[in-house]
Amino acid sequence: MTDSRNRRAAQAADLRQQRGTPEATVARLPVYLRALTVLAEQGVATASSEQLAAAAGVNSAKLRKDLSYLGSYGTRGVGYDVEYLRYQISREIGLTQDWSVVIVGIGNLGQALANYAGFTTRGFRIAALVDTDPELVGSEIGVHTIENMADLEQLIERHQVSIGVITTPAAEAQNVADRLVRAGVTSILNFAPSVINVPEGVQVRKVDLSIELQILAYHEQRKATVDGAEVPPAMTDPTSKVVEAS
Amino acid sequence: MTDSRNRRAAQAADLRQQRGTPEATVARLPVYLRALTVLAEQGVATASSEQLAAAAGVNSAKLRKDLSYLGSYGTRGVGYDVEYLRYQISREIGLTQDWSVVIVGIGNLGQALANYAGFTTRGFRIAALVDTDPELVGSEIGVHTIENMADLEQLIERHQVSIGVITTPAAEAQNVADRLVRAGVTSILNFAPSVINVPEGVQVRKVDLSIELQILAYHEQRKATVDGAEVPPAMTDPTSKVVEAS
DNA sequence: TACTGTGAACCAATTCACAGCC
DNA sequence: GGCTGTGAATTGGTTCACAGTA
């Protein structure tokens, strides 16, 4: 390993400590990881930023800049070694270790997640499924038995759970979040359609199906009113009278 | 209505045409809408930007700027009329009309979505559930009968579907997307863990459960390596030797 | 030669801070 | 006095374009 390579690595490390990896970049690393896995399965050993970017659905400049936050893992004139980069990204994300997950609220969505293979394959271990409903408690989903909500704290402790998934109705989400946090969970994935408040230092990510649809509806509407000759569903605002004339 | 009010409305309309509402703002409008609905149910008639922002989990400056893209719907010194603003946002998003949705791929997740009440309550109508599996086709989920994938195009035509939801395995997602687009669908919500390519003008939003978990894992790992005395799971980079000394 | 890695330029989004209005 | 609406300042993210190098 040359001196200049050392220097570059040191600079990358400095950069990382100064500002850390940008959030937008972190959110794309799993996408790159998936693209690399697909390429690896196809037997591709080396890929240029252009190829990789195409597989990940981004442009190549963005991909190169993203990867540069992790270090200099490519080779000029050649590209990236698929396996090597895959390992580096895995490590950066933290997938070289396993994370225990508890799912709270075993309705339709909770059941679907419990059965979802993609969880288990990527370093996530479902430690427990929990619900309040006495009808559900004790029944089996795959290899898991649904446990009682009253035992939530014990389960978190026993299985060293660090990530909680909330799939309860909206009304219970905040209460569940509070209990998760008190029991030591520091990352929450919230599927309940409500805002939850957590203390500083606890990460929350929100997935909201109906919000996604509403965003699409907004764009649908815009298309309909702009390029079609269609009249908007309701008067847009007072000024539209002027435009419409008649 | 005063002249100055008219002028303000006209300016807001101009602003909207010049640049449109920013994407980041569009993504938050459904959140505000939900917050307003909760307030309305609690009998609150008027809310300040501060109150509303708290209910929506954002800061008040952001909320005010967001709302300003729609027009001037507040009253200085008072706040926003909850019902009036609720209607204005609904209209902006396009929820004053119904949107027909087809769900393709009725596995765990597809079933969960088909049963999810939040869809139907907010102006979305599930027009059809579609799958390739002959075992599934013909069986009932709630009020719906699962239909054959071969009839996808007909169903889209017949029910005037504009939004497609993909809950198939990754390998089939692109093919499904192609068929949806060819049949006239212009918005897609993709739950399959793969990148899909669509022509210009078709909106795609992606929801990926395992990516969300991976983002949380990244932050978990960072917490563990920074504030704990814990050793990183693997050597971070050559420079860490220097720091660790021994 | 063909590619990466990255400053510099650009664009989008957020936050500040206050003028304008009820 | 208390609030909204919004220019101006700032921060964060993306894209350009090319120097550096295997």
Side-chain angles (χ1 to χ4, degrees), chain A residues 184-206:
Chain A
V185 166
T186 49
S187 287
I188 293 176
L189 182 51
N190 181 26
F191 286 90
S194 70
V195 175
I196 60 178
N197 292 301
V198 295
E200 186 85 357
V202 176
Q203 295 289 324
V204 177
R205 295 194 62 90
K206 195 172 166 252

Side-chain angles (χ1 to χ4, degrees), chain B residues 33 46 138 147 154 167 192 224:
Chain B
L33 191 57
T46 296
E147 317 225 30
Q154 287 175 42
T167 43

Side-chain angles (χ1 to χ4, degrees), chain A residues 175-230:
Chain A
N175 178 39
V176 170
D178 291 345
R179 287 182 62 182
L180 288 172
V181 169
R182 238 181 300 120
V185 166
T186 49
S187 287
I188 293 176
L189 182 51
N190 181 26
F191 286 90
S194 70
V195 175
I196 60 178
N197 292 301
V198 295
E200 186 85 357
V202 176
Q203 295 289 324
V204 177
R205 295 194 62 90
K206 195 172 166 252
V207 175
D208 193 314
L209 314 175
S210 103
I211 284 182
E212 296 301 324
L213 279 187
Q214 289 176 58
I215 296 170
L216 290 174
Y218 170 86
H219 291 293
E220 278 298 310
Q221 173 174 249
R222 238 168 42 118
K223 282 177 215 159
T225 52
V226 173
D227 44 61
E230 215 173 301

Side-chain angles (χ1 to χ4, degrees), chain B residues 164-166 173 188-196 204-208:
Chain B
V165 176
I166 301 180
I188 293 175
L189 182 50
N190 181 28
F191 286 90
S194 70
V195 175
I196 61 178
V204 177
R205 295 194 63 89
K206 196 171 165 256
V207 175
D208 193 315

Side-chain angles (χ1 to χ4, degrees), chain A residues 1 6 9-10 13 16 20-21 23 26-27 29-31 33-34 54-57 73 87-88 91-97 99 101 108-109 111-113 115-116 118-119 122 124 162-163 165 185-189 191 193-195 197 201-224 230 233-239, chain B residues 1 6 9-10 13 16 20-21 23 26-27 29-31 33-34 54-57 73 87-88 91-97 99 101 108-109 111-113 115-116 118-119 122 124 162-165 185-189 191 193-195 201-224 230 233-239:
Chain A
M1 195 182 289
N6 254 328
R16 223 176 310 152
T21 308
E23 263 309 302
V26 171
L29 293 179
V31 179
L33 190 58
R34 178 126 65 207
Y73 297 134
Y87 171 72
Q88 293 299 342
R91 191 169 52 61
E92 180 77 12
I93 299 178
L95 301 187
T96 46
Q97 64 190 282
W99 300 100
V101 176
N108 285 317
L109 187 57
Q111 282 179 38
L113 296 187
N115 286 317
Y116 178 49
F119 269 21
R122 264 169 230 287
F124 297 98
S162 49
I163 301 178
V165 176
V185 166
T186 49
S187 287
I188 293 176
L189 182 51
F191 286 90
S194 70
V195 175
N197 292 301
V202 176
Q203 295 289 324
V204 177
R205 295 194 62 90
K206 195 172 166 252
V207 175
D208 193 314
L209 314 175
S210 103
I211 284 182
E212 296 301 324
L213 279 187
Q214 289 176 58
I215 296 170
L216 290 174
Y218 170 86
H219 291 293
E220 278 298 310
Q221 173 174 249
R222 238 168 42 118
K223 282 177 215 159
E230 215 173 301
M235 188 178 69
T236 302
D237 70 35
T239 58
Chain B
M1 193 182 290
N6 252 329
R16 222 176 311 153
T21 308
E23 263 308 303
V26 171
L29 292 179
V31 179
L33 191 57
R34 180 127 62 208
Y73 296 135
Y87 172 71
Q88 293 300 340
R91 192 170 50 62
E92 181 77 12
I93 300 177
L95 301 187
T96 45
Q97 64 190 283
W99 299 100
V101 176
N108 285 315
L109 187 57
Q111 283 179 38
L113 296 187
N115 286 317
Y116 178 50
F119 271 20
R122 266 169 228 286
F124 298 97
S162 49
I163 302 179
V165 176
V185 166
T186 49
S187 289
I188 293 175
L189 182 50
F191 286 90
S194 70
V195 175
V202 176
Q203 295 288 324
V204 177
R205 295 194 63 89
K206 196 171 165 256
V207 175
D208 193 315
L209 314 176
S210 101
I211 283 181
E212 296 300 325
L213 279 187
Q214 288 175 59
I215 296 170
L216 289 174
Y218 170 86
H219 291 293
E220 278 298 310
Q221 172 174 249
R222 238 169 40 118
K223 283 177 217 161
E230 215 172 299
M235 188 177 70
T236 303
D237 69 36
T239 57

Side-chain angles (χ1 to χ4, degrees), chain B residues 1-32:
Chain B
M1 193 182 290
T2 66
D3 263 29
S4 79
R5 172 132 191 198
N6 252 329
R7 218 179 309 118
R8 255 188 289 115
Q11 280 169 1
D14 281 0
L15 198 70
R16 222 176 311 153
Q17 285 195 317
Q18 277 167 26
R19 333 221 161 152
T21 308
E23 263 308 303
T25 296
V26 171
R28 283 187 295 266
L29 292 179
V31 179
Y32 301 155

